[in-house]
Amino acid sequence: PPGDYRISAPLIVGLPNLIIMGAGASALGLSTSGTVITQATSNSDIFTTGTIVTGPGPAYSLAIRDLNLTYAGGLGSATGGAAIRLAYTQVAWIERVYIATCYDGIVFGADTASPPTNPVVCLWVWVKDCVIAGVVDAAFTISGKNEILNISDNLCFGYGGNPGSSIVLKMTALSYCDVMYFNRNDCEGFGNGVLLINTSAVAGLSGY
């Protein structure tokens, strides 16, 4: 229901057929009312799935929708501070989510080898009708092996205090993404658009 829910550690979503739904974010109306989850620890994610190594297993058929996600203080870091970190996910929908003031918006995949040694860690993920505002690092980060990502019809705004190094879509040196759709996203206030980190180490990118 509507309200401000304060957390101090990541909410781990590693169960199949899980729907996390608030009372409504009114994301595209830029409303911050509704159901708000506030992370009190700046170097912690808000939502995170398990990994192949640490479990608890894949988030299969996951939906996160109609929520406001934000941080109470501090802007986090690359290892913690993502509003949603989909490290091990198969079939997921992120819809009508308003993300405010974060280090990273949504991170897809996680791997430590290049080329990735793990099987696909993100498969069939849709992100639609979301607002990601006040991003310090990247609105969307691709890391590890991913297949069929659809990121469409979102609004993204960089962090006003750090526009030069902020990124709309970042692909790390461990990225492998087979088919990604990035359509009709309105992105403003970023220093970089699509940034490939150490492109010689990127394992593969097709259908982009």
Side-chain angles (χ1 to χ4, degrees), residues 45 71 75-85 99-108 127 131-143 151 154-160 162-172 175 182 187-197:
D45 300 328
Y71 284 82
L75 297 174
S77 65
T79 57
I84 301 175
R85 190 179 300 272
I99 297 170
T101 313
C102 59
Y103 188 82
D104 286 307
I106 301 175
V107 178
F108 303 88
V127 179
V131 173
I132 304 178
V135 179
V136 173
D137 184 45
F140 306 101
T141 298
I142 312 296
S143 177
I151 303 169
N154 303 286
L155 295 177
C156 304
F157 301 93
Y159 178 61
N162 189 33
S165 58
S166 58
I167 307 160
V168 175
L169 174 63
K170 178 172 72 173
M171 300 193 70
T172 73
S175 299
F182 194 81
C187 305
E188 303 176 16
F190 291 87
N192 302 277
V194 177
L195 186 63
L196 304 180
I197 307 297

Side-chain angles (χ1 to χ4, degrees), residues 33-111:
S33 61
T35 304
V36 182
I37 298 178
T38 301
Q39 175 60 272
T41 304
S42 63
N43 288 313
S44 287
D45 300 328
I46 297 178
F47 286 113
T48 184
T49 64
T51 67
I52 295 175
V53 176
T54 63
Y60 180 79
S61 190
L62 168 69
I64 300 175
R65 53 172 62 112
D66 299 308
L67 291 168
N68 292 282
L69 307 179
T70 189
Y71 284 82
L75 297 174
S77 65
T79 57
I84 301 175
R85 190 179 300 272
L86 302 175
Y88 189 13
T89 310
Q90 296 179 19
V91 187
W93 296 265
I94 313 297
E95 302 174 301
R96 299 180 301 277
V97 175
Y98 184 105
I99 297 170
T101 313
C102 59
Y103 188 82
D104 286 307
I106 301 175
V107 178
F108 303 88
D111 208 318

